[in-house]
Amino acid sequence: MTRHVETIHIDGVWRAAAAGTRREVLDPADGTTLAVVSEGGAEDADAAIAAARRAFDQGPWPHTPVAERAALLRRVAELLQRDREEIALTESRDTGKTLEEGRVDVDDVTNAFRYFADLVVNEGGGRVVDAGSDQVHSVVVHEPVGVCALITPWNYPLLQASWKIAPALAAGNTFVIKPSEITPLSTAHLIRLLAEAGLPAGVANIVTGPGDPVGARFAEHPQVDLVSFTGGLASGTRVMQAAAPSVKKVALELGGKNPNVVFADACATDEDFDTAVDQALNAAFIHSGQVCSAGSRLIVEQSVRERFVAELARRAQKIRLGRGTEKGVECGPLVSAEQLAKVEGYVASALREGAVLRCGGSRPEPAEERPATGYFYEPTVLDRCNRGMKVVREETFGPILTVETFRTEEEAVALANDTEYGLAGAVWTKDAGRARRVAGRLRHGTVWINDYHPYLPQAEWGGFGKSGIGRELGPSGLAEYREAKHIYQNLAPRPVRWFAG
């Protein structure tokens, strides 16, 4: 029997959509219905924003002492760990990722809540500004921005929600959130945990539904003070345009086309070679490549290209595809039939444009752990690629790795930076000087040296160019949800006598 999951929560109450509409959430491993959820619209969005507005203007949360806000975030972290297995299973079945990836996500979310709790509780009471007089007290303080509209993607629904919710609450804001209509279940679970932790009604509100009208209404609404969006470039552009008339704060994380640069000296020994190949696989194929920071562009030095790509393709063919909850499965399905079709289109265009298929390139044969009705696609390595190809320029969000080659350090940097995005990238080399030089020249928000994918909640995350505006995580991630206010106090006021009259 298909279960109905409540996914609209407004002013402390779970409710059906105003229009009574619902949506099926599908299991990408077999295409069957995983749950039925409420499908909200503009009326639900307006009600959620009104609740958040009241909670900010009239409620206690913005004025709750920092220590109490931090304590609530820590209670949420404990509840996340209590429900770790349940949430990880939900995330696996909803997105298709492996169960182990789901567990890692829950742990990372837990760390984010703990980090922002620690960050706000250890801050000082404002920055004293020297006004040049002992008769003036001048200080810069930070206050919550107000009502925050949070719009999150389908690939890491719980993680991306936490990167926004934790700092928003730590700063004293109220919020409305719209998770992807494809993967809303774990975000709804998090809203339940916030209520269980004692968050006042109206502070956290969720409306599930499509980007238009729900996300669009969030972005354009004049009672929203900030909109934070993570997703594709086209949708992010529309969010920015919708937000412009009300001149609200905007934060955008719009993905990337990320280079993984491998110099020959990183493959000098068999152990080095094995590590570089292994990390290239991880960079490209974790979560079936459905990662904004995926290392989908392998840029490898010409002298080791053939050996490197041959071994990469050999190992990629051995990746075990299947339902993410099955033991031994290393890679799950794509999230939807639409995403599968997009990936197939990118591979087809690459082959038409002259790329050489080294492995993959099709749907796998069905198996017990891999139903024919699931949205599976083989890890695919495309050799002899160049920047003129669509598959190299655009974010594919699938298990596709393109291979480009270089001969000099200058050429490697030029290739790595030849993208309209600038989210993340990596450089592999044994030469410490080269590592620092290349990392310093890469125009990407995160650069790994001899590693790929790790992030820290203490370090900012975001990108250059069309990868977005603003940063998540780190002190800057908290600053996104605050306004700076300068308070200047004259301790000995007297007439200025500027005007003689």
Side-chain angles (χ1 to χ4, degrees), residues 10 44-56 147 176 202 205 221 223:
I10 299 174
D44 303 289
D46 286 346
I49 292 167
R53 186 80 263 167
R54 285 191 301 273
F56 185 80
V147 174
V176 294
N205 306 273
H221 202 290
Q223 294 300 309

Side-chain angles (χ1 to χ4, degrees), residues 28-29 91-98 287 322-324 331-335:
E91 201 78 330
S92 175
R93 295 195 66 194
D94 204 4
T95 67
K97 67 181 61 177
T98 65
H287 194 15
R323 187 185 298 274
C331 204
L334 296 171
V335 75

Side-chain angles (χ1 to χ4, degrees), residues 147-172:
V147 174
C148 304
L150 315 176
I151 305 172
T152 55
W154 48 257
N155 60 331
Y156 284 88
L158 187 68
L159 188 69
Q160 294 291 342
S162 75
W163 286 10
K164 302 177 191 301
I165 290 173
L169 292 180

